[in-house]
Amino acid sequence: MVRALTTSAQVTATDLLRDAFRERFDGQPQVFARAPGRVNLIGEHTDYNQGFVLPMAIDRACTIAARSNESNHITIRSLASDEEQTFSLCDLKPEPKGLFSDYVRGVVAGFCERGVSVTGFDAVVDSDIPLGSGLSSSAALEVATATLLEELTEHRVSPMDKALLCQKAEHQFVGVPCGLMDQYASVFGRTDQLMLLDCRDNECRYVSMADPSVALLVINSNVRHQLAESEYAVRKSQCESASSKLGLQSLRDAGLESLNHPDLDDLEVKRVRHIFTENQRTQSAAGETEHQAWGTVGELMYASHASLRDDYQVSCAELDAIVEICQCIGTDGGIHGARMTGGGFGGCAIALVEVARLKELCRRIAAEYRIRTEIESSLFCVRPGTGAEIIPAS
Ligand code: ADP
Ligand code: MG
């Protein structure tokens, strides 16, 4: 079921979109839909290896305002990227065009594939998730589009089918072979809950993270290295090759003994070790979070970062600098742990921090990052929030 909630942040987002829609298309939008980004506390690059991840939907989202236009064209204007694109409902071939509307086209195609009759619409979209920073603005755009289409077509898809449809859109229309975590979190998020998702069978256990004394601080390195997309695909194929050499269905089944397998080269041993240890860390972190054992959760985050840096080799100097700064500040200074989050090669790091020290920590991390890299970071706190929903139009 699509839920409908209203918060003050949404009121601001919908007011802004309503004005932008009126300015561009005349008249009022008919439907508002929103879908959140996500932060993954731990469990990086494990999703496409059928492993464990521990994400939460965040209180930042992609919001779309739309109205049917009685044509066979979809026009979508993005305030976040200041672009407008139009495509025809006759043009739903799964070919990436390098446009932001590819995400929308892919989701529309998914509905058509299910026999749903989609007609044209005009839309304005905005997002307070930084684009391309590892917080999943892409899944938020897909899931917001799917939620919008459910309302416009009066055809509900099951939440799991919605996540899968959006993942397929990203695979086929954008060309990114992502796992299911981002779309899953955006659909299934709940206030104050993390999701321990088993990517083998997509079973999820909600894990409470309601302690008001700690917060997750997102630190955007504000760099994105070119390697991000190409190396993602390289890692994925390295994992597939290693699991086939090990005779496993996926690296989810790798054990300690796998690391000594004679067919694996040194690089493959590193990749397998990351997936094996990260799956263990992720399951431990879920239990430790439930017990509010923040010191232990923090240690697991630091260990995850070290493994991503040394074994999986997807970090970069800027993300390493942020994590080192956090480690130097330490528990006494109010930081339990930190790690890069998302695919890597730039984007964001997250830190588990004491709420009481937040202001001072933000100032200190930003200042030390500036000294080390000469780059301005952006910092903000996130809380686990609700999944995609329709927002009442007034
Ligand atoms: P992430 O999902 O971590 O933010 P991606 O590279 O997967 O990074 O997705 C970012 C891309 O998603 C952007 O470059 C853009 O094409 C698209 N996108 C997401 N949200 C929006 C939006 N509100 N407006 C325009 N494009 C968007
Ligand atoms: Mg993405």
Side-chain angles (χ1 to χ4, degrees):
M1 211 185 86
V2 179
R3 283 160 295 131
L5 294 174
T6 313
T7 68
S8 56
Q10 283 169 14
V11 170
T12 319
T14 52
D15 285 349
L16 191 85
L17 281 178
R18 185 181 283 109
D19 289 350
F21 188 94
R22 202 183 293 126
E23 200 174 297
R24 170 59 187 87
F25 297 110
D26 279 342
Q28 296 284 345
Q30 202 183 333
V31 182
F32 291 88
R34 77 174 274 287
R38 63 99 190 92
V39 157
N40 188 23
L41 184 72
I42 194 164
E44 215 63 77
H45 288 276
T46 42
D47 61 344
Y48 55 82
N49 286 295
Q50 300 190 358
F52 293 90
V53 291
L54 190 58
M56 63 190 218
I58 56 175
D59 46 357
R60 286 181 172 238
C62 175
T63 311
I64 306 189
R67 190 185 59 202
S68 297
N69 63 16
E70 313 293 332
S71 80
N72 68 347
H73 283 82
I74 290 171
T75 296
I76 180 150
R77 166 150 190 72
S78 166
L79 303 184
S81 65
D82 195 19
E83 291 170 283
E84 179 172 311
Q85 290 161 16
T86 296
F87 62 90
S88 160
L89 287 163
C90 305
D91 176 21
L92 297 177
K93 275 198 299 295
E95 281 168 6
K97 299 183 182 207
L99 304 171
F100 84 87
S101 55
D102 289 348
Y103 298 90
V104 178
R105 218 161 45 86
V107 173
V108 169
F111 273 73
C112 294
E113 211 175 271
R114 282 157 181 75
V116 182
S117 155
V118 180
T119 51
F121 61 85
D122 298 323
V124 177
V125 59
D126 200 13
S127 187
D128 60 358
I129 309 162
L131 309 191
S133 300
L135 302 186
S136 229
S137 70
S138 61
L141 176 57
E142 293 149 14
V143 174
T145 304
T147 306
L148 171 81
L149 282 173
E150 285 184 288
E151 197 69 9
L152 285 178
T153 63
E154 297 180 359
H155 179 95
R156 303 281 179 246
V157 288
S158 75
M160 181 52 85
D161 195 31
K162 178 148 76 167
L164 289 167
L165 180 159
C166 290
Q167 180 197 27
K168 191 171 171 190
E170 188 146 343
H171 285 186
Q172 297 195 333
F173 288 74
V174 186
V176 174
C178 55
L180 186 64
M181 168 173 63
D182 300 355
Q183 293 80 7
Y184 189 96
S186 187
V187 171
F188 287 93
R190 286 186 189 165
T191 307
D192 288 339
Q193 312 263 329
L194 302 176
M195 291 161 269
L196 178 65
L197 176 65
D198 180 340
C199 298
R200 167 152 285 171
D201 54 13
N202 296 330
E203 283 290 309
C204 163
R205 172 157 73 87
Y206 285 93
V207 174
S208 171
M209 194 182 171
D211 183 350
S213 73
V214 292
L216 267 183
L217 180 63
V218 173
I219 306 139
N220 193 340
S221 68
N222 285 330
V223 296
R224 189 175 195 193
H225 297 291
Q226 286 301 321
L227 288 169
E229 274 97 42
S230 57
E231 288 296 303
Y232 184 94
V234 170
R235 292 298 174 283
K236 192 161 182 270
S237 79
Q238 286 170 337
C239 289
E240 282 160 8
S241 144
S243 71
S244 103
K245 284 185 183 175
L246 292 167
L248 303 172
Q249 189 196 335
S250 77
L251 288 188
R252 151 69 173 274
D253 298 316
L256 256 187
E257 71 291 349
S258 308
L259 303 176
N260 297 318
H261 197 285
D263 290 351
L264 296 188
D265 61 32
D266 290 350
L267 201 62
E268 286 168 329
V269 169
K270 283 171 175 251
R271 306 301 187 240
V272 175
R273 188 164 53 213
H274 169 70
I275 301 301
F276 169 63
T277 56
E278 187 76 350
N279 276 326
Q280 292 195 320
R281 281 187 290 269
T282 304
Q283 291 172 88
S284 306
E288 300 298 344
T289 299
E290 266 159 349
H291 293 115
Q292 303 190 355
W294 303 125
T296 315
V297 175
E299 286 306 319
L300 291 163
M301 291 170 75
Y302 285 132
S304 168
H305 186 80
S307 178
L308 287 157
R309 181 192 60 210
D310 302 334
D311 277 347
Y312 218 61
Q313 298 177 300
V314 291
S315 188
C316 61
E318 294 83 358
L319 289 170
D320 292 345
I322 293 171
V323 173
E324 279 166 31
I325 291 165
C326 292
Q327 225 154 357
C328 284
I329 295 172
T331 318
D332 290 347
I335 301 186
H336 295 294
R339 59 185 285 281
M340 55 157 276
T341 189
F345 300 104
C348 295
I350 48 170
L352 184 64
V353 302
E354 293 290 334
V355 168
R357 314 286 286 272
L358 205 54
K359 259 198 182 148
E360 144 207 356
L361 283 172
C362 288
R363 258 199 311 271
R364 192 164 163 195
I365 296 168
E368 292 188 20
Y369 182 68
R370 191 182 306 119
I371 290 168
R372 283 215 197 189
T373 61
E374 297 182 357
I375 301 168
E376 285 301 321
S377 53
S378 329
L379 296 92
F380 53 90
C381 260
V382 289
R383 294 217 68 84
T386 56
E389 63 207 359
I390 290 293
I391 307 169
S394 56

PDB file of all heavy atoms in Angstrom, residues 206-234:
ATOM      1  N   TYR A 206      14.105  -5.812  10.500  1.00  0.00           N
ATOM      2  CA  TYR A 206      14.256  -4.419  10.922  1.00  0.00           C
ATOM      3  C   TYR A 206      15.020  -4.368  12.239  1.00  0.00           C
ATOM      4  O   TYR A 206      14.817  -5.204  13.116  1.00  0.00           O
ATOM      5  CB  TYR A 206      12.880  -3.755  11.074  1.00  0.00           C
ATOM      6  CG  TYR A 206      12.251  -3.422   9.732  1.00  0.00           C
ATOM      7  CD1 TYR A 206      11.381  -4.316   9.116  1.00  0.00           C
ATOM      8  CD2 TYR A 206      12.552  -2.235   9.076  1.00  0.00           C
ATOM      9  CE1 TYR A 206      10.817  -4.027   7.882  1.00  0.00           C
ATOM     10  CE2 TYR A 206      11.989  -1.930   7.844  1.00  0.00           C
ATOM     11  CZ  TYR A 206      11.121  -2.833   7.250  1.00  0.00           C
ATOM     12  OH  TYR A 206      10.574  -2.545   6.026  1.00  0.00           O
ATOM     13  N   VAL A 207      15.917  -3.400  12.340  1.00  0.00           N
ATOM     14  CA  VAL A 207      16.789  -3.257  13.511  1.00  0.00           C
ATOM     15  C   VAL A 207      16.607  -1.840  14.049  1.00  0.00           C
ATOM     16  O   VAL A 207      16.853  -0.869  13.325  1.00  0.00           O
ATOM     17  CB  VAL A 207      18.266  -3.466  13.083  1.00  0.00           C
ATOM     18  CG1 VAL A 207      19.219  -3.181  14.239  1.00  0.00           C
ATOM     19  CG2 VAL A 207      18.490  -4.872  12.528  1.00  0.00           C
ATOM     20  N   SER A 208      16.183  -1.742  15.294  1.00  0.00           N
ATOM     21  CA  SER A 208      15.876  -0.412  15.842  1.00  0.00           C
ATOM     22  C   SER A 208      17.148   0.420  16.044  1.00  0.00           C
ATOM     23  O   SER A 208      18.156  -0.068  16.544  1.00  0.00           O
ATOM     24  CB  SER A 208      15.144  -0.583  17.178  1.00  0.00           C
ATOM     25  OG  SER A 208      15.034   0.677  17.798  1.00  0.00           O
ATOM     26  N   MET A 209      17.075   1.683  15.621  1.00  0.00           N
ATOM     27  CA  MET A 209      18.178   2.616  15.899  1.00  0.00           C
ATOM     28  C   MET A 209      17.552   3.924  16.384  1.00  0.00           C
ATOM     29  O   MET A 209      17.621   4.946  15.703  1.00  0.00           O
ATOM     30  CB  MET A 209      19.016   2.840  14.643  1.00  0.00           C
ATOM     31  CG  MET A 209      20.338   3.510  14.955  1.00  0.00           C
ATOM     32  SD  MET A 209      21.311   3.832  13.508  1.00  0.00           S
ATOM     33  CE  MET A 209      22.592   4.849  14.227  1.00  0.00           C
ATOM     34  N   ALA A 210      16.928   3.830  17.554  1.00  0.00           N
ATOM     35  CA  ALA A 210      16.130   4.965  18.029  1.00  0.00           C
ATOM     36  C   ALA A 210      16.816   5.756  19.140  1.00  0.00           C
ATOM     37  O   ALA A 210      16.265   6.730  19.627  1.00  0.00           O
ATOM     38  CB  ALA A 210      14.777   4.458  18.520  1.00  0.00           C
ATOM     39  N   ASP A 211      18.047   5.349  19.524  1.00  0.00           N
ATOM     40  CA  ASP A 211      18.746   6.036  20.609  1.00  0.00           C
ATOM     41  C   ASP A 211      18.987   7.503  20.238  1.00  0.00           C
ATOM     42  O   ASP A 211      19.744   7.788  19.303  1.00  0.00           O
ATOM     43  CB  ASP A 211      20.091   5.316  20.846  1.00  0.00           C
ATOM     44  CG  ASP A 211      20.878   5.913  22.004  1.00  0.00           C
ATOM     45  OD1 ASP A 211      20.481   6.986  22.490  1.00  0.00           O
ATOM     46  OD2 ASP A 211      21.878   5.296  22.408  1.00  0.00           O
ATOM     47  N   PRO A 212      18.352   8.434  20.947  1.00  0.00           N
ATOM     48  CA  PRO A 212      18.489   9.856  20.557  1.00  0.00           C
ATOM     49  C   PRO A 212      19.874  10.429  20.850  1.00  0.00           C
ATOM     50  O   PRO A 212      20.188  11.524  20.398  1.00  0.00           O
ATOM     51  CB  PRO A 212      17.421  10.566  21.408  1.00  0.00           C
ATOM     52  CG  PRO A 212      17.195   9.662  22.573  1.00  0.00           C
ATOM     53  CD  PRO A 212      17.502   8.256  22.136  1.00  0.00           C
ATOM     54  N   SER A 213      20.724   9.676  21.578  1.00  0.00           N
ATOM     55  CA  SER A 213      22.030  10.248  21.932  1.00  0.00           C
ATOM     56  C   SER A 213      23.075  10.068  20.817  1.00  0.00           C
ATOM     57  O   SER A 213      24.143  10.664  20.873  1.00  0.00           O
ATOM     58  CB  SER A 213      22.547   9.636  23.238  1.00  0.00           C
ATOM     59  OG  SER A 213      22.967   8.304  23.000  1.00  0.00           O
ATOM     60  N   VAL A 214      22.773   9.216  19.813  1.00  0.00           N
ATOM     61  CA  VAL A 214      23.729   9.078  18.705  1.00  0.00           C
ATOM     62  C   VAL A 214      23.066   9.451  17.383  1.00  0.00           C
ATOM     63  O   VAL A 214      21.848   9.345  17.233  1.00  0.00           O
ATOM     64  CB  VAL A 214      24.305   7.639  18.571  1.00  0.00           C
ATOM     65  CG1 VAL A 214      25.201   7.284  19.724  1.00  0.00           C
ATOM     66  CG2 VAL A 214      23.218   6.623  18.353  1.00  0.00           C
ATOM     67  N   ALA A 215      23.898   9.873  16.438  1.00  0.00           N
ATOM     68  CA  ALA A 215      23.381  10.248  15.117  1.00  0.00           C
ATOM     69  C   ALA A 215      24.377   9.804  14.065  1.00  0.00           C
ATOM     70  O   ALA A 215      25.553   9.564  14.360  1.00  0.00           O
ATOM     71  CB  ALA A 215      23.201  11.757  15.043  1.00  0.00           C
ATOM     72  N   LEU A 216      23.885   9.682  12.848  1.00  0.00           N
ATOM     73  CA  LEU A 216      24.780   9.396  11.731  1.00  0.00           C
ATOM     74  C   LEU A 216      25.052  10.703  11.011  1.00  0.00           C
ATOM     75  O   LEU A 216      24.131  11.380  10.542  1.00  0.00           O
ATOM     76  CB  LEU A 216      24.129   8.412  10.765  1.00  0.00           C
ATOM     77  CG  LEU A 216      24.425   6.938  10.993  1.00  0.00           C
ATOM     78  CD1 LEU A 216      23.766   6.115   9.904  1.00  0.00           C
ATOM     79  CD2 LEU A 216      25.926   6.649  11.032  1.00  0.00           C
ATOM     80  N   LEU A 217      26.327  11.024  10.949  1.00  0.00           N
ATOM     81  CA  LEU A 217      26.744  12.247  10.275  1.00  0.00           C
ATOM     82  C   LEU A 217      27.258  11.867   8.895  1.00  0.00           C
ATOM     83  O   LEU A 217      28.127  10.999   8.767  1.00  0.00           O
ATOM     84  CB  LEU A 217      27.852  12.912  11.099  1.00  0.00           C
ATOM     85  CG  LEU A 217      28.429  14.211  10.567  1.00  0.00           C
ATOM     86  CD1 LEU A 217      27.367  15.306  10.526  1.00  0.00           C
ATOM     87  CD2 LEU A 217      29.600  14.661  11.459  1.00  0.00           C
ATOM     88  N   VAL A 218      26.695  12.489   7.862  1.00  0.00           N
ATOM     89  CA  VAL A 218      27.175  12.262   6.496  1.00  0.00           C
ATOM     90  C   VAL A 218      28.196  13.342   6.182  1.00  0.00           C
ATOM     91  O   VAL A 218      27.945  14.530   6.403  1.00  0.00           O
ATOM     92  CB  VAL A 218      26.007  12.335   5.491  1.00  0.00           C
ATOM     93  CG1 VAL A 218      26.521  12.265   4.053  1.00  0.00           C
ATOM     94  CG2 VAL A 218      25.013  11.214   5.749  1.00  0.00           C
ATOM     95  N   ILE A 219      29.352  12.909   5.699  1.00  0.00           N
ATOM     96  CA  ILE A 219      30.405  13.870   5.340  1.00  0.00           C
ATOM     97  C   ILE A 219      30.683  13.676   3.853  1.00  0.00           C
ATOM     98  O   ILE A 219      31.263  12.662   3.443  1.00  0.00           O
ATOM     99  CB  ILE A 219      31.687  13.621   6.166  1.00  0.00           C
ATOM    100  CG1 ILE A 219      31.341  13.616   7.662  1.00  0.00           C
ATOM    101  CG2 ILE A 219      32.761  14.658   5.838  1.00  0.00           C
ATOM    102  CD1 ILE A 219      32.055  12.562   8.454  1.00  0.00           C
ATOM    103  N   ASN A 220      30.217  14.619   3.058  1.00  0.00           N
ATOM    104  CA  ASN A 220      30.404  14.510   1.611  1.00  0.00           C
ATOM    105  C   ASN A 220      31.787  15.041   1.256  1.00  0.00           C
ATOM    106  O   ASN A 220      32.103  16.210   1.499  1.00  0.00           O
ATOM    107  CB  ASN A 220      29.310  15.313   0.893  1.00  0.00           C
ATOM    108  CG  ASN A 220      29.251  14.998  -0.588  1.00  0.00           C
ATOM    109  OD1 ASN A 220      30.206  14.485  -1.168  1.00  0.00           O
ATOM    110  ND2 ASN A 220      28.129  15.307  -1.216  1.00  0.00           N
ATOM    111  N   SER A 221      32.608  14.168   0.689  1.00  0.00           N
ATOM    112  CA  SER A 221      33.976  14.572   0.321  1.00  0.00           C
ATOM    113  C   SER A 221      33.962  15.593  -0.815  1.00  0.00           C
ATOM    114  O   SER A 221      34.964  16.243  -1.088  1.00  0.00           O
ATOM    115  CB  SER A 221      34.775  13.335  -0.121  1.00  0.00           C
ATOM    116  OG  SER A 221      34.260  12.836  -1.354  1.00  0.00           O
ATOM    117  N   ASN A 222      32.815  15.672  -1.501  1.00  0.00           N
ATOM    118  CA  ASN A 222      32.660  16.560  -2.663  1.00  0.00           C
ATOM    119  C   ASN A 222      33.674  16.277  -3.762  1.00  0.00           C
ATOM    120  O   ASN A 222      34.049  17.176  -4.528  1.00  0.00           O
ATOM    121  CB  ASN A 222      32.673  18.041  -2.240  1.00  0.00           C
ATOM    122  CG  ASN A 222      31.347  18.419  -1.582  1.00  0.00           C
ATOM    123  OD1 ASN A 222      30.294  17.849  -1.905  1.00  0.00           O
ATOM    124  ND2 ASN A 222      31.374  19.343  -0.655  1.00  0.00           N
ATOM    125  N   VAL A 223      34.129  15.031  -3.830  1.00  0.00           N
ATOM    126  CA  VAL A 223      34.906  14.592  -5.003  1.00  0.00           C
ATOM    127  C   VAL A 223      34.236  13.332  -5.538  1.00  0.00           C
ATOM    128  O   VAL A 223      33.602  12.584  -4.799  1.00  0.00           O
ATOM    129  CB  VAL A 223      36.387  14.263  -4.703  1.00  0.00           C
ATOM    130  CG1 VAL A 223      37.135  15.500  -4.256  1.00  0.00           C
ATOM    131  CG2 VAL A 223      36.538  13.147  -3.679  1.00  0.00           C
ATOM    132  N   ARG A 224      34.338  13.161  -6.857  1.00  0.00           N
ATOM    133  CA  ARG A 224      33.897  11.912  -7.453  1.00  0.00           C
ATOM    134  C   ARG A 224      34.882  11.581  -8.560  1.00  0.00           C
ATOM    135  O   ARG A 224      34.957  12.274  -9.567  1.00  0.00           O
ATOM    136  CB  ARG A 224      32.479  12.038  -8.018  1.00  0.00           C
ATOM    137  CG  ARG A 224      31.971  10.682  -8.435  1.00  0.00           C
ATOM    138  CD  ARG A 224      30.531  10.681  -8.899  1.00  0.00           C
ATOM    139  NE  ARG A 224      30.046   9.307  -8.943  1.00  0.00           N
ATOM    140  CZ  ARG A 224      28.939   8.938  -9.523  1.00  0.00           C
ATOM    141  NH1 ARG A 224      28.163   9.820 -10.107  1.00  0.00           N
ATOM    142  NH2 ARG A 224      28.579   7.681  -9.544  1.00  0.00           N
ATOM    143  N   HIS A 225      35.660  10.554  -8.348  1.00  0.00           N
ATOM    144  CA  HIS A 225      36.689  10.208  -9.327  1.00  0.00           C
ATOM    145  C   HIS A 225      36.066   9.431 -10.475  1.00  0.00           C
ATOM    146  O   HIS A 225      35.097   8.690 -10.304  1.00  0.00           O
ATOM    147  CB  HIS A 225      37.804   9.417  -8.646  1.00  0.00           C
ATOM    148  CG  HIS A 225      38.509  10.219  -7.581  1.00  0.00           C
ATOM    149  ND1 HIS A 225      39.313  11.288  -7.883  1.00  0.00           N
ATOM    150  CD2 HIS A 225      38.488  10.140  -6.238  1.00  0.00           C
ATOM    151  CE1 HIS A 225      39.771  11.814  -6.755  1.00  0.00           C
ATOM    152  NE2 HIS A 225      39.279  11.133  -5.746  1.00  0.00           N
ATOM    153  N   GLN A 226      36.645   9.608 -11.642  1.00  0.00           N
ATOM    154  CA  GLN A 226      36.141   8.996 -12.877  1.00  0.00           C
ATOM    155  C   GLN A 226      35.948   7.482 -12.768  1.00  0.00           C
ATOM    156  O   GLN A 226      35.073   6.913 -13.380  1.00  0.00           O
ATOM    157  CB  GLN A 226      37.129   9.265 -14.032  1.00  0.00           C
ATOM    158  CG  GLN A 226      37.104  10.691 -14.553  1.00  0.00           C
ATOM    159  CD  GLN A 226      35.723  11.081 -15.056  1.00  0.00           C
ATOM    160  OE1 GLN A 226      35.041  10.277 -15.678  1.00  0.00           O
ATOM    161  NE2 GLN A 226      35.281  12.290 -14.759  1.00  0.00           N
ATOM    162  N   LEU A 227      36.818   6.871 -11.944  1.00  0.00           N
ATOM    163  CA  LEU A 227      36.825   5.413 -11.842  1.00  0.00           C
ATOM    164  C   LEU A 227      35.517   4.807 -11.337  1.00  0.00           C
ATOM    165  O   LEU A 227      35.276   3.612 -11.518  1.00  0.00           O
ATOM    166  CB  LEU A 227      37.917   4.998 -10.840  1.00  0.00           C
ATOM    167  CG  LEU A 227      39.349   5.156 -11.303  1.00  0.00           C
ATOM    168  CD1 LEU A 227      40.293   4.964 -10.122  1.00  0.00           C
ATOM    169  CD2 LEU A 227      39.634   4.124 -12.383  1.00  0.00           C
ATOM    170  N   ALA A 228      34.668   5.634 -10.698  1.00  0.00           N
ATOM    171  CA  ALA A 228      33.533   5.091  -9.944  1.00  0.00           C
ATOM    172  C   ALA A 228      32.716   4.073 -10.743  1.00  0.00           C
ATOM    173  O   ALA A 228      32.492   2.959 -10.274  1.00  0.00           O
ATOM    174  CB  ALA A 228      32.656   6.228  -9.435  1.00  0.00           C
ATOM    175  N   GLU A 229      32.265   4.444 -11.955  1.00  0.00           N
ATOM    176  CA  GLU A 229      31.381   3.526 -12.696  1.00  0.00           C
ATOM    177  C   GLU A 229      32.125   2.314 -13.240  1.00  0.00           C
ATOM    178  O   GLU A 229      31.692   1.183 -13.083  1.00  0.00           O
ATOM    179  CB  GLU A 229      30.693   4.230 -13.868  1.00  0.00           C
ATOM    180  CG  GLU A 229      29.421   4.946 -13.483  1.00  0.00           C
ATOM    181  CD  GLU A 229      29.683   6.418 -13.230  1.00  0.00           C
ATOM    182  OE1 GLU A 229      30.433   7.007 -14.022  1.00  0.00           O
ATOM    183  OE2 GLU A 229      29.181   6.961 -12.236  1.00  0.00           O
ATOM    184  N   SER A 230      33.282   2.582 -13.877  1.00  0.00           N
ATOM    185  CA  SER A 230      33.978   1.480 -14.530  1.00  0.00           C
ATOM    186  C   SER A 230      34.473   0.458 -13.505  1.00  0.00           C
ATOM    187  O   SER A 230      34.340  -0.749 -13.691  1.00  0.00           O
ATOM    188  CB  SER A 230      35.141   2.002 -15.372  1.00  0.00           C
ATOM    189  OG  SER A 230      36.000   2.751 -14.551  1.00  0.00           O
ATOM    190  N   GLU A 231      34.989   0.936 -12.373  1.00  0.00           N
ATOM    191  CA  GLU A 231      35.526  -0.002 -11.381  1.00  0.00           C
ATOM    192  C   GLU A 231      34.430  -0.812 -10.697  1.00  0.00           C
ATOM    193  O   GLU A 231      34.662  -1.922 -10.238  1.00  0.00           O
ATOM    194  CB  GLU A 231      36.355   0.756 -10.331  1.00  0.00           C
ATOM    195  CG  GLU A 231      37.670   1.248 -10.868  1.00  0.00           C
ATOM    196  CD  GLU A 231      38.620   0.127 -11.294  1.00  0.00           C
ATOM    197  OE1 GLU A 231      38.951  -0.730 -10.477  1.00  0.00           O
ATOM    198  OE2 GLU A 231      39.028   0.116 -12.474  1.00  0.00           O
ATOM    199  N   TYR A 232      33.222  -0.257 -10.633  1.00  0.00           N
ATOM    200  CA  TYR A 232      32.098  -1.013 -10.055  1.00  0.00           C
ATOM    201  C   TYR A 232      31.887  -2.283 -10.875  1.00  0.00           C
ATOM    202  O   TYR A 232      31.785  -3.387 -10.339  1.00  0.00           O
ATOM    203  CB  TYR A 232      30.836  -0.136 -10.062  1.00  0.00           C
ATOM    204  CG  TYR A 232      29.636  -0.769  -9.396  1.00  0.00           C
ATOM    205  CD1 TYR A 232      29.358  -0.520  -8.054  1.00  0.00           C
ATOM    206  CD2 TYR A 232      28.773  -1.604 -10.090  1.00  0.00           C
ATOM    207  CE1 TYR A 232      28.252  -1.088  -7.430  1.00  0.00           C
ATOM    208  CE2 TYR A 232      27.671  -2.187  -9.477  1.00  0.00           C
ATOM    209  CZ  TYR A 232      27.413  -1.916  -8.150  1.00  0.00           C
ATOM    210  OH  TYR A 232      26.324  -2.496  -7.544  1.00  0.00           O
ATOM    211  N   ALA A 233      31.835  -2.100 -12.194  1.00  0.00           N
ATOM    212  CA  ALA A 233      31.625  -3.256 -13.076  1.00  0.00           C
ATOM    213  C   ALA A 233      32.807  -4.225 -12.997  1.00  0.00           C
ATOM    214  O   ALA A 233      32.634  -5.449 -13.029  1.00  0.00           O
ATOM    215  CB  ALA A 233      31.406  -2.778 -14.507  1.00  0.00           C
ATOM    216  N   VAL A 234      34.020  -3.662 -12.866  1.00  0.00           N
ATOM    217  CA  VAL A 234      35.218  -4.528 -12.750  1.00  0.00           C
ATOM    218  C   VAL A 234      35.131  -5.376 -11.484  1.00  0.00           C
ATOM    219  O   VAL A 234      35.354  -6.593 -11.522  1.00  0.00           O
ATOM    220  CB  VAL A 234      36.517  -3.669 -12.731  1.00  0.00           C
ATOM    221  CG1 VAL A 234      37.728  -4.513 -12.366  1.00  0.00           C
ATOM    222  CG2 VAL A 234      36.728  -2.986 -14.081  1.00  0.00           C
TER     223      VAL A 234
END
